[in-house]
Amino acid sequence: MSTTMPSATGQTVAALRGLILHGLLLILLVLFGTGLSLLLSAALQGFSSEGDLYFELATAISFTIIAGPLAWLLWRAVRGRLIHASPTDAAIWSLQGTAVYLIALITASTSLLQLLAGLVLDQPWFTWQSPLGTAIAWSLVGIWQYRLLHSPTYRPTELPHLAATLGNAYALLLAAWTASIAVSTAGELLLKTDDMLIGPSPIPRMLAAVIWAVGATALWFWHWKVQRVQQVDDAFGSLVLVLAGVCLPALASLLAAAAALNILIPLPWEAAALTARFVENGPLTVAVLLVATATWIYHQAQLTTRPAWALLAARQVVSGIALALLASGLGMVVNALLAAISSPLNSGTAPSVLRTGLGLLLVGVAAWWWFFRPLAPADPESRRIYLVLFFGFSAVVALIALLVIAYRVVEFLLGGTGLNVTMVDYIRGPVGWLVATAAVATYHFVLWRSDREKLHAKAPETDSPVVRSATAAPAGRTVMVVVPAGSDRLLSALQQHGEVRVHWIPAAGPELSAEALDLALETIGERLHHEPGAVLAVVNAPGEVRFTALAGPAESAT
Amino acid sequence: MRPTATLRDPSTPSGVVQRYLVAFQAQDIDTARQYVSDGEDRELCDMGGPRNDLQITLVREVQSEDTSTVTVEISYDYSGFMSLDGYSYPDYFELKRAGDTWLIEAMPWEVGMCTDEEMGY
């Protein structure tokens, strides 16, 4: 006790010390970056800012001269400990370095892109000094931190790829988002030209969007290929790939597909309304659909080089997303139908709700069918977490829907609405959610029940074969067959025998002939037919069988 | 900033609105006054002048014998985080017939000219 206690405390103290030192380093570096960027911006403006120059300069200089040297001293103090760092220290170092790197990366990249985009946009309040100063200062901080995280001396042994993985995810999402906007702006440019009365030319806007998209894509490419994030196949890397590369793009593409259906479904049956919807929402919908689907397909293909769980997890999350869309769509369709029957005054809202609902429902059903594969046999074990999460989520939705319905019914009966609406109209929204949740939950409850039965039936088979079977068999009787290897035909034939649990104990000796196996099968079958209870069957070379009756579970327990 | 759209027929309400907006944007107040009823009594409502990221598109033009309402969408390419997002909202010009052309009676204040009374003097 006297030896373990101090070492445990010592470890805690060491971890706490690492946490505090690296936490301080993080704060100092962020302060230094902020001060340096303010200082550079002020210097680029020739110290003649229109704003509060003294405030800016005082902040900039104090942050730079206090935080900078202190950060340097602190780094010199901690760096010795990083060379043969304990796993805890290494992990803390990686987390701190990643935090600094990400802050610097995000600030520097957005400032630089804002600067380049601002140059083509020609906006009156745009100044190039401030974004340039910010970009330079944070690039310096980010590059310094990145080099340390990848230097052979200080490279963290734990979570070594954290910074690159998260930087890659950021760049990917920024690239996808800005590329969607660029494509969407190009689409608007094609669609809307004749009805402009005055305004700036939309070309600079599109150029700015293209600059953002190209810059972000270059950043992503640098992380993905040059920094080899593509080859990082540790668990965290795969998880981030599944979330940022597959699930978010999948969500965006499915929503965009639903929005596209919302435009295309002809309710009401008017070409003019359809055109108006397309002009208003078409460009963004098409852009997101294109970019998100391309991102999704690319990363889905990348998953084949990852551990099997990554592919399964991606499939389950996507089918969960599809299910959520399906249920939302179903709820909206119910809502719209209730609206249609309750009052003729809803003629305006009902079609738009119905269109949105149908779009979500169709996309949800299609994606769910494809990814959940309701008809294919599934491994019950693999989807237990999915089902448990699903029940939790639907319970919350159902509870909220019930509360809203109850509240509104009471409010309606007490006459507190002050509106001239029918009761059905007043509660149709939450009734839609409730019906959708109940329908989807019922289906999954049936699935859950059948999975549980399968799991129960399966569980004993996975136990170690010989020792546990006699006591653990819940149904049927045990037949232990002692026979040389190569007798699979006999064993599988016995397994067809209904209510029989076959265990094979390999015997020494050559393989049995086909006739011998047939004879043995016949003999054992006859015995099983005539006598109940567990049995040990020893098969010899000519196919003759010697039986020993075994004690059943009840007898062996006494 | 520059009108990239082609100029519309000056005898239509939207053509008048467009010419007014072009003059307004160029800060050519004397020309702008010609398109407004009682234009000589009016000054800019917003003394700051127009923003050069202002964009106005025609949504609808409804015309009766003597009056017309021109619905427009006013949008700003407001510089946010992305330099890409903006905001927009619909507003109206009301015009009345004056011979073979039209005069603006009421307009959105951002691009409007106000009488002293409207300015609160």
Side-chain angles (χ1 to χ4, degrees):
Chain A
M1 189 165 173
S2 56
T3 51
T4 55
M5 279 299 285
S7 95
T9 321
Q11 271 180 8
T12 314
V13 169
L16 204 57
R17 199 173 101 169
L19 210 57
I20 290 172
L21 286 179
H22 283 285
L24 277 175
L25 189 57
L26 169 64
I27 294 170
L28 285 173
L29 284 171
V30 170
L31 287 177
F32 176 67
T34 313
L36 192 62
S37 62
L38 282 174
L39 195 62
L40 284 177
S41 308
L44 287 169
Q45 282 162 348
F47 298 107
S48 61
S49 157
E50 284 174 15
D52 191 345
L53 178 65
Y54 298 117
F55 170 75
E56 265 179 35
L57 267 186
T59 315
I61 293 175
S62 61
F63 276 22
T64 314
I65 64 169
I66 299 292
L70 279 180
W72 176 244
L73 286 177
L74 188 56
W75 165 245
R76 288 184 64 96
V78 296
R79 70 180 183 185
R81 292 157 46 88
L82 298 179
I83 294 173
H84 297 294
S86 69
T88 320
D89 277 349
I92 292 172
W93 155 228
S94 181
L95 284 173
Q96 175 255 304
T98 301
V100 173
Y101 174 67
L102 276 185
I103 294 171
L105 177 72
I106 293 172
T107 321
S109 59
T110 49
S111 306
L112 185 65
L113 291 172
Q114 224 162 21
L115 173 71
L116 295 177
L119 291 179
V120 297
L121 273 176
D122 181 34
Q123 283 160 326
W125 57 84
F126 174 75
T127 56
W128 56 270
Q129 290 94 341
S130 174
L132 183 61
T134 311
I136 294 175
W138 282 106
S139 301
L140 291 176
V141 174
I143 290 169
W144 177 74
Q145 191 68 82
Y146 195 79
R147 286 174 62 96
L148 286 178
L149 279 175
H150 287 77
S151 77
T153 326
Y154 301 116
R155 185 186 162 78
T157 48
E158 297 292 314
L159 307 171
H161 306 295
L162 190 63
T165 307
L166 290 179
N168 178 68
Y170 156 73
L172 174 67
L173 295 180
L174 185 68
W177 170 238
T178 49
S180 311
I181 292 185
V183 176
S184 156
T185 318
E188 280 172 24
L189 204 65
L190 288 178
L191 285 178
K192 297 180 181 173
T193 42
D194 357 328
D195 53 358
M196 186 153 83
L197 295 176
I198 58 159
S201 155
I203 306 277
R205 226 157 64 83
M206 199 192 75
L207 274 182
V210 169
I211 288 175
W212 273 90
V214 169
T217 309
L219 199 62
W220 170 74
F221 186 82
W222 182 77
H223 280 102
W224 184 245
K225 291 287 184 188
V226 182
Q227 294 301 314
R228 310 233 173 122
V229 174
Q230 191 177 15
Q231 267 109 47
V232 175
D233 58 356
D234 56 8
F236 185 74
S238 300
L239 181 71
V240 172
L241 180 71
V242 166
L243 288 180
V246 177
C247 297
L248 278 178
L251 175 65
S253 347
L254 294 180
L255 282 177
L261 282 181
N262 185 3
I263 293 175
L264 292 177
I265 292 173
L267 281 171
W269 191 269
E270 282 173 33
L274 200 150
T275 315
R277 285 202 298 273
F278 185 74
V279 169
E280 178 150 6
N281 303 322
L284 189 61
T285 305
V286 172
V288 172
L289 193 59
L290 282 178
V291 174
T293 311
T295 314
W296 182 13
I297 290 174
Y298 176 74
H299 287 97
Q300 186 81 44
Q302 294 292 313
L303 280 182
T304 49
T305 62
R306 303 282 170 153
W309 64 260
L311 201 59
L312 186 68
R315 194 161 76 81
Q316 289 195 344
V317 177
V318 174
S319 58
I321 291 172
L323 189 64
L325 297 188
L326 185 161
S328 313
L330 189 59
M332 291 177 91
V333 169
V334 171
N335 180 342
L337 295 180
L338 286 177
I341 58 170
S342 74
S343 141
L345 290 178
N346 292 317
S347 58
T349 31
S352 94
V353 174
L354 187 59
R355 252 194 347 258
T356 313
L358 277 179
L360 287 170
L361 185 61
L362 291 177
V363 169
V365 166
W368 179 77
W369 193 267
W370 180 258
F371 286 97
F372 192 72
R373 295 174 207 156
L375 296 185
D379 176 17
E381 194 71 51
S382 71
R383 63 183 184 200
R384 274 165 96 184
I385 299 177
Y386 173 85
L387 286 174
V388 168
L389 282 176
F390 171 79
F391 285 128
F393 186 72
S394 32
V396 172
V397 176
L399 177 66
I400 294 174
L402 276 174
L403 280 175
V404 176
I405 292 174
Y407 177 87
R408 291 202 157 179
V409 166
V410 173
E411 195 189 17
F412 188 86
L413 293 178
L414 294 177
T417 64
L419 295 169
N420 190 14
V421 292
T422 62
M423 165 103 97
V424 175
D425 228 13
Y426 205 47
I427 60 170
R428 64 189 157 91
V431 166
W433 309 339
L434 191 65
V435 170
T437 313
V440 177
T442 309
Y443 169 79
H444 285 84
F445 186 68
V446 173
L447 209 60
W448 162 257
R449 283 271 295 271
S450 85
D451 274 6
R452 263 170 60 122
E453 276 162 22
K454 275 189 218 157
L455 278 176
H456 271 302
K458 211 177 107 180
E461 279 178 28
T462 55
D463 291 344
S464 77
V466 179
V467 187
R468 302 270 308 277
S469 57
T471 54
R477 51 184 166 153
T478 305
V479 177
M480 293 197 176
V481 185
V482 183
V483 71
S487 314
D488 299 346
R489 206 158 58 82
L490 169 65
L491 298 172
S492 56
L494 281 175
Q495 240 145 14
Q496 309 298 320
H497 231 271
E499 298 292 303
V500 171
R501 312 176 53 73
V502 180
H503 292 289
W504 173 46
I505 302 171
E511 246 177 68
L512 298 193
S513 65
E515 296 83 49
L517 284 177
D518 284 340
L519 179 61
L521 178 61
E522 200 177 314
T523 322
I524 297 174
E526 217 161 283
R527 157 91 188 198
L528 288 175
H529 193 67
H530 289 110
E531 292 192 36
V535 71
L536 170 74
V538 182
V539 184
N540 65 11
E544 291 159 6
V545 188
R546 215 150 34 82
F547 292 105
T548 309
L550 298 174
E555 295 163 67
S556 67
T558 50
Chain B
M1 192 169 179
R2 279 83 24 200
T4 50
T6 47
L7 282 176
R8 287 159 184 275
D9 183 354
S11 65
T12 61
S14 60
V16 171
V17 167
Q18 187 180 28
R19 279 172 178 70
Y20 166 76
L21 286 171
V22 169
F24 176 86
Q25 183 108 48
Q27 297 280 285
D28 184 357
I29 307 300
D30 290 332
T31 310
R33 281 192 177 114
Q34 294 170 13
Y35 299 106
V36 184
S37 76
D38 306 329
E40 62 276 13
D41 299 338
R42 291 178 186 253
E43 282 300 329
L44 289 181
C45 301
D46 183 1
M47 292 303 184
R51 288 168 48 163
N52 68 355
D53 60 341
L54 171 69
Q55 179 185 318
I56 298 182
T57 49
L58 177 67
V59 176
R60 197 179 307 119
E61 189 174 350
V62 181
Q63 195 173 330
S64 71
E65 190 65 23
D66 289 326
T67 61
S68 169
T69 302
V70 175
T71 308
V72 295
E73 184 85 8
I74 299 181
S75 47
Y76 290 102
D77 178 23
Y78 184 73
S79 171
F81 158 65
M82 295 282 295
S83 296
L84 300 173
D85 51 351
Y87 66 92
S88 66
Y89 53 92
D91 215 325
Y92 311 93
F93 283 87
E94 279 168 23
L95 298 95
K96 71 169 186 197
R97 187 181 285 283
D100 55 355
T101 183
W102 297 81
L103 281 178
I104 300 173
E105 289 271 282
M107 53 214 139
W109 70 269
E110 289 90 340
V111 292
M113 299 180 80
C114 299
T115 60
D116 284 354
E117 192 186 346
E118 282 167 335
M119 293 295 279
Y121 294 141

